[in-house]
Each structure stands twice: as structure tokens, then as C-alpha cells.
Amino acid sequence: MIIFRIFASVIIGYDAKRIVRNATGLGNYGRTLVNDIAGYEGVDLHLYAPDMGREDLRAQVASGLYWHFARQHPGSAPLSPEAHGRPGLHVVPSSLWRTWGIVNDLKRDGIQLYHGLSGELPVGIRKSGIKSVVTIHDLIFLRHPEYYHWLDTKIYAWKFRQAVREADHIIAISECTKRDIMELGGVDERRISVIYQSCAPRFSLPVSQSVKGRRYLLSVGSIEERKNILLAVKALHYLPEDLSLVVVGRHTKYTDAVEAYVRQNGLSDRVQILHGITDEQLPALYAGAEVFVYPSRYEGFGIPVIEAVSCGLPVVACTGSCLEEAGGPDNLYVSPDDEQAMATAIRRVLRGAEGREERIRRSREYIRRFEGNDVASQVVALYRSLLY
């Protein structure tokens, strides 16, 4: 591991709920960031989570960090000694601990700066004297509340407004998200820094085995209405019959509607939906694909686009949010309601298409700005500006 010395000595706390519970998205953001920052000398990292979550996700975090939990699960196996912090003893239920009970623990542990990695900060952290940073990934619940239960939108909106009141500084993971924070939260631009999400390094490594024997498009992400995968399914009608679509993601009610369309339109042999794909399996699926499609209507950033480019794929995505910002000018973007335009764009980047390899090369140059060390150095510089 490369060690960077930038602090004399500092103790930083992180909201680790998503790190131990989420295998994708917010979980990947937290795990990648803390692993990269763990390479800085003079930094003690303390991770706070309401429970121990998943052992396989904890195992993806660098050793030597301090773990703290609202309560230890009865009968749970102890963590390794070098990564085992003191479990807290609380009267506050663990479900509310991150909001109402954690500040006393942070003070007890000598935390100098606390980073809310998933859009939340505890009540009272500003009054405690502990510096705080919050990362806001998106405000889709305000921009497109139709994709959420009404009660969830109220809860998320309260957490957002409470977090921006408490925070000493805000990280937005894209210019699109920054604009939303300013417009929908009334936040002064000077309190916000755009620091992009980094892509896990495993997507830049060669894979020993890829999926072979058929031509396929690939899409990765929760299969929900906002992700709009039905657009890519409909585009198959206008594409060569030997080209199929592989969709990787979490099942939702929207998945049932997609599967019904596939059956009713004779596409069962051309659409495969996969759940439970592991991090180790995913790079091989990318490596075997011809094109990555990401027809989402709205994103805060769109890390699968970066993963796909890292794996050497051209991308066809949709306009309307931040996907052009993530993928750069050499990938293609179409209306989220135009399946014929999506099919045309896909044809332009299939294997053998003119300019395909040059598009891939330039896109890989573009995404170098999202490399982990560069992203971590920006976050560490922000910490330093708040502490010194």
C-alpha cells in the first residue's frame, strides 16, 4: 500500500451503515473512500454502524480501522483484534442511534471530524464542536418524488435539510447534484465542493475469464422504474437478432413489469435478468459485453458508467441528469423515451463499428479523473482545510 503523510495526527469518524449493509451504490462509495484514505499516515479511522451488517462487506474494508456498533448482536462472531473497536452501550434504539445517540460516542472517542457518507448527519454535531462533512449523492426524492413512497420523501427531505444545517461542508458527487443542492436546499455555493465518486480498482484489472459464446449488451443497477431498463429491452426490436441483453440488479416490482413485457413480446431468448451477482463475478460480465447501456431517467452520478468504461466498453446512456458528466463526450446519450434512438446509438458502437476503439480510448482517458487516489486526496485536502 502507498502511504501518504499529510496529517500530524487526526481521528476521523465515518457513518458506516451503508458500508456494512449495501453491496452496491452507497456501500461501494464508502468502502472505496475509506480504503483509499486508510493509505494516509497519521490518520485513525473510526467506523460507526448501527449493527455489524454483512461480514463479507466488512471484509472489504482495510484492516487496522476501529469499528463501533450501537449494539453487538447476540452470538455474533467477534471481529479481528486489529479492527475491533468498543461496542457502545446505548439506551437509544440502534435504528435511531445514527441521528440521536451517536454524538456522545464521537466525543467519547475523541473524533475530530465526522463524515456522513450517505447524506445524513447526527443532530447536535455542530454544537458538539466536532467538525463535520456530509456527502450528498442525489436529491432524486425531491426532484422526482413520484418514484418514492410519500412518507419516505418526507423523511429523506428532513434528513437532507437537517444535514445541510449541521454540516461544516458538503460534498456533492457531481455538478448536477451540486445544482440540485443549491436550488432545492437553498445552500450557498461556497459551502459545497464537487468531489467525484471513485471507481473500485478491480474494474481496471484484466479478468482471467469473461462470458463467451454470445453477443450481449449489459446493464447494471437496481431494476426499478427510475432506471428505465424497459427502454433498452424495447430497443432490441431494432437490433440484430443475435444480440441479447443481460440485466444485473436487485429485483423490485418494476422487474415484474419488465419480465411481463419480455414474455408478451417474444424476447425471452434475448433478455436475461440476473440477481445476486457478486463483486468478483461482475468484471467478467463487463468484459464479455459489447456495449454497456444505462437508460436511467435521473442519477446523482452513475458509477456503473465509470465501471463499464474502465472495463473497455462503449456506453449508451440517457440525457436529463448527470450521465454525460460521468461518461464524458465520447459516449452516446439519448432521450429516456426514445427506444429507436437508443437502438441507433447502440448500432454506432457495436464491435466493428467505425470509431468504436477510439471512443473507448478517449473515454478511458476522460475517467482518469475518477481514480481513487485523486478522489481521496481531494477529500483529505477538504478535511485538512476544516481542521487546520
Side-chain angles (χ1 to χ4, degrees), residues 175-232:
E175 292 288 348
C176 177
T177 296
K178 178 182 176 180
R179 291 192 298 269
D180 283 352
I181 294 168
M182 293 168 61
E183 177 187 345
L184 301 176
V187 178
D188 190 316
E189 181 177 14
R190 292 171 295 183
R191 296 182 59 214
I192 310 170
S193 295
V194 175
I195 302 179
Y196 291 113
Q197 180 175 354
S198 58
C199 178
R202 65 181 177 274
F203 294 102
S204 300
L205 301 174
V207 297
S208 57
Q209 183 178 3
S210 63
V211 178
K212 297 179 180 179
R214 58 172 172 155
R215 302 176 65 198
Y216 66 93
L217 313 171
L218 178 67
S219 188
V220 176
S222 296
I223 309 167
E224 59 189 56
E225 185 178 1
R226 173 174 58 86
K227 300 289 189 178
N228 194 33
I229 193 60
L230 198 54
L231 182 76

Side-chain angles (χ1 to χ4, degrees), residues 28-97:
N28 283 338
Y29 171 78
R31 287 185 295 274
T32 302
L33 183 61
V34 299
N35 283 338
D36 290 334
I37 292 177
Y40 286 79
E41 194 175 71
V43 182
D44 284 340
L45 305 186
H46 291 240
L47 277 59
Y48 294 82
D51 53 53
M52 295 179 71
R54 289 170 47 178
E55 183 178 359
D56 62 318
L57 299 181
R58 293 198 314 273
Q60 295 176 25
V61 177
S63 63
L65 281 63
Y66 298 93
W67 290 94
H68 305 268
F69 306 100
R71 63 178 55 153
Q72 202 83 28
H73 287 310
S76 60
L79 298 177
S80 59
E82 69 270 21
H84 190 221
R86 293 173 295 168
L89 298 176
H90 307 280
V91 294
V92 179
S94 60
S95 59
L96 301 177
W97 173 65

Side-chain angles (χ1 to χ4, degrees), residues 61-334:
V61 177
S63 63
L65 281 63
Y66 298 93
W67 290 94
H68 305 268
F69 306 100
R71 63 178 55 153
Q72 202 83 28
H73 287 310
S76 60
L79 298 177
S80 59
E82 69 270 21
H84 190 221
R86 293 173 295 168
L89 298 176
H90 307 280
V91 294
V92 179
S94 60
S95 59
L96 301 177
W97 173 65
R98 290 163 66 243
T99 302
W100 303 101
I102 196 174
V103 171
N104 287 336
D105 291 0
L106 302 179
K107 291 163 66 176
R108 174 201 69 195
D109 297 330
I111 300 300
Q112 295 165 265
L113 183 146
Y114 181 76
H115 189 160
L117 295 170
S118 55
E120 298 182 43
L121 284 175
V123 172
I125 194 164
R126 178 175 283 271
K127 289 183 180 179
S128 75
I130 299 169
K131 296 293 184 180
S132 64
V133 174
V134 64
T135 297
I136 296 178
H137 297 260
D138 62 68
L139 295 180
I140 301 171
F141 53 89
L142 293 178
R143 185 64 76 187
H144 288 286
E146 66 272 20
Y147 296 130
Y148 297 83
H149 188 281
W150 69 269
L151 181 58
D152 288 338
T153 63
K154 299 295 184 185
I155 294 171
Y156 297 155
W158 179 85
K159 288 183 176 182
F160 161 63
R161 295 192 170 94
Q162 186 272 330
V164 299
R165 284 195 301 268
E166 294 277 359
D168 288 293
H169 204 78
I170 300 161
I171 292 175
I173 64 166
S174 67
E175 292 288 348
C176 177
T177 296
K178 178 182 176 180
R179 291 192 298 269
D180 283 352
I181 294 168
M182 293 168 61
E183 177 187 345
L184 301 176
V187 178
D188 190 316
E189 181 177 14
R190 292 171 295 183
R191 296 182 59 214
I192 310 170
S193 295
V194 175
I195 302 179
Y196 291 113
Q197 180 175 354
S198 58
C199 178
R202 65 181 177 274
F203 294 102
S204 300
L205 301 174
V207 297
S208 57
Q209 183 178 3
S210 63
V211 178
K212 297 179 180 179
R214 58 172 172 155
R215 302 176 65 198
Y216 66 93
L217 313 171
L218 178 67
S219 188
V220 176
S222 296
I223 309 167
E224 59 189 56
E225 185 178 1
R226 173 174 58 86
K227 300 289 189 178
N228 194 33
I229 193 60
L230 198 54
L231 182 76
V233 174
K234 292 178 178 179
L236 288 175
H237 293 298
Y238 308 97
L239 291 167
E241 291 187 1
D242 66 336
L243 189 64
S244 60
L245 172 65
V246 175
V247 182
V248 176
R250 178 176 57 85
H251 185 280
T252 70
K253 289 183 179 180
Y254 177 74
T255 313
D256 297 333
V258 173
E259 291 174 335
Y261 181 92
V262 167
R263 290 192 303 271
Q264 293 163 8
N265 288 272
L267 294 172
S268 296
D269 292 337
R270 298 183 65 189
V271 177
Q272 184 176 13
I273 297 176
L274 303 176
H275 310 297
I277 297 298
T278 66
D279 289 340
E280 290 74 23
Q281 294 170 319
L282 196 52
L285 282 170
Y286 276 114
E290 281 200 39
V291 179
F292 185 77
V293 293
Y294 202 61
S296 180
R297 293 183 178 276
Y298 208 88
E299 293 291 327
F301 184 53
I303 197 66
V305 170
I306 313 301
E307 295 172 353
V309 175
S310 296
C311 290
L313 290 181
V315 173
V316 177
C318 284
T319 57
S321 59
C322 66
L323 297 180
E324 297 99 327
E325 190 178 345
D330 292 293
N331 288 301
L332 300 177
Y333 309 91
V334 301

